[in-house]
Amino acid sequence: MEPNETAPNADKLDRIIDARMKLKRRFEEAIQNTPSMTDEKPLGSGPPNRHGMPKIPKSQTVTKKWPVLDLGYQPNIPLDKWQLAIDGEVEQPVRLKWADFMALPQTEDVSDFHCVTTWSKLDVPWVGVRFADLAALVMPKETATHVMCYGFDGYSTNIALEEALKSDVLLVHTVEGEPLPLEHGGPVRMITPQLYAWKGSKWIKRIEFMAGNRLGFWEERGYSNTAYPWRNDRYS
């Protein structure tokens, strides 16, 4: 596909599932060995989450509110103007319009949201598209190791593929049964429940697959490349 082509229609969705399973096999060992699933001495408290880590990472405080953090600009993108480009080290780059995005397999999940500024919002119900399904759509090349995610606000953040391909990493459009609010990155943001939340771009507009790692906005300013909550891994 060329970058201006749209998502496959319904008769091609089986190919996405097949491609996702191939990616799972390719990255499965690396995913299973990430710290948020295998750390023998995780830092935190409370009962174990579904990955075996303490529910509340070290130095986090649980809140029922959802504080708003951004770069001072909240881009308001109408759905008929919204697009998501997925390119870089991939076999089939695409540019998805809203209808294309919503035609992809939709995933419902409940996960926790850990902000580096020391608050956590627990058991948040989301609806969105798995990053893994988007990756399956474009098929990363063997050279791809990381992605850079870009927002309409000029934000960027990097993430290793073994983290991005986890089943709870979603590009969400719905939270708690309502459309994702503008101030929290609507119409679509990425969530990374096993990493600090700055690794999920708000107002996401582009995903670039990379052969190697580059620093994103906060990473260039001293934040951690890896952002593991259960290692208190906030800064480089």
Side-chain angles (χ1 to χ4, degrees):
M1 287 187 184
E2 294 302 318
N4 62 348
E5 290 186 342
T6 60
N9 52 32
D11 64 342
K12 296 182 180 179
L13 289 181
D14 284 346
R15 298 184 188 179
I16 296 176
I17 304 303
D18 181 62
R20 186 212 296 171
M21 297 308 296
K22 290 179 180 177
L23 280 172
K24 182 177 183 294
R25 290 191 292 270
R26 177 176 157 191
F27 285 93
E28 188 167 22
E29 183 176 358
I31 290 171
Q32 293 301 320
N33 287 330
T34 54
S36 58
M37 300 180 73
T38 61
D39 199 327
E40 294 182 355
K41 295 183 179 180
L43 304 175
S45 61
N49 67 13
R50 63 185 175 184
H51 308 296
M53 297 295 106
K55 186 74 169 173
I56 306 170
K58 182 180 178 179
S59 301
Q60 295 295 108
T61 300
V62 175
T63 178
K64 291 186 178 181
K65 296 181 180 180
W66 194 359
V68 175
L69 299 171
D70 54 48
L71 301 181
Y73 170 52
Q74 297 180 358
N76 190 352
I77 312 300
L79 296 185
D80 62 351
K81 301 295 184 183
W82 183 87
Q83 291 190 24
L84 174 66
I86 311 175
D87 55 26
E89 294 292 305
V90 299
E91 300 290 346
Q92 302 178 73
V94 296
R95 188 178 299 273
L96 305 175
K97 296 182 179 180
W98 183 255
D100 307 321
F101 181 73
M102 295 302 290
L104 294 172
Q106 300 293 310
T107 296
E108 297 183 10
D109 196 25
V110 176
S111 62
D112 302 330
F113 190 96
H114 304 298
C115 181
V116 70
T117 59
T118 73
W119 56 266
S120 293
K121 187 174 173 61
L122 304 181
D123 301 318
V124 184
W126 311 96
V127 183
V129 176
R130 278 197 178 108
F131 180 96
D133 286 338
L134 294 168
L137 190 64
V138 299
M139 283 311 300
K141 296 179 180 178
E142 291 292 330
T143 51
T145 61
H146 293 73
V147 294
M148 187 75 76
C149 299
Y150 302 87
F152 282 96
D153 60 342
Y155 184 71
S156 62
T157 188
N158 57 321
I159 182 171
L161 268 180
E162 60 264 27
E163 294 290 349
L165 289 168
K166 290 179 174 180
S167 62
D168 56 2
V169 176
L170 309 178
L171 271 68
V172 298
H173 53 75
T174 298
V175 59
E176 297 178 336
E178 299 291 338
L180 183 67
L182 171 66
E183 64 268 25
H184 291 300
V188 179
R189 70 163 296 155
M190 187 163 156
I191 59 164
T192 57
Q194 297 181 50
L195 302 176
Y196 287 120
W198 91 76
K199 287 294 187 180
S201 177
K202 298 166 76 171
W203 307 291
I204 193 165
K205 72 171 184 178
R206 182 187 175 204
I207 299 170
E208 177 192 9
F209 284 76
M210 303 185 297
N213 197 12
R214 294 201 318 267
L215 301 181
F217 180 89
W218 284 120
E219 292 81 13
E220 288 181 336
R221 291 160 173 81
Y223 278 48
S224 169
N225 255 315
T226 43
Y228 300 128
W230 292 274
R231 291 187 173 178
N232 207 23
D233 178 27
R234 301 172 195 268
Y235 307 108
S236 58

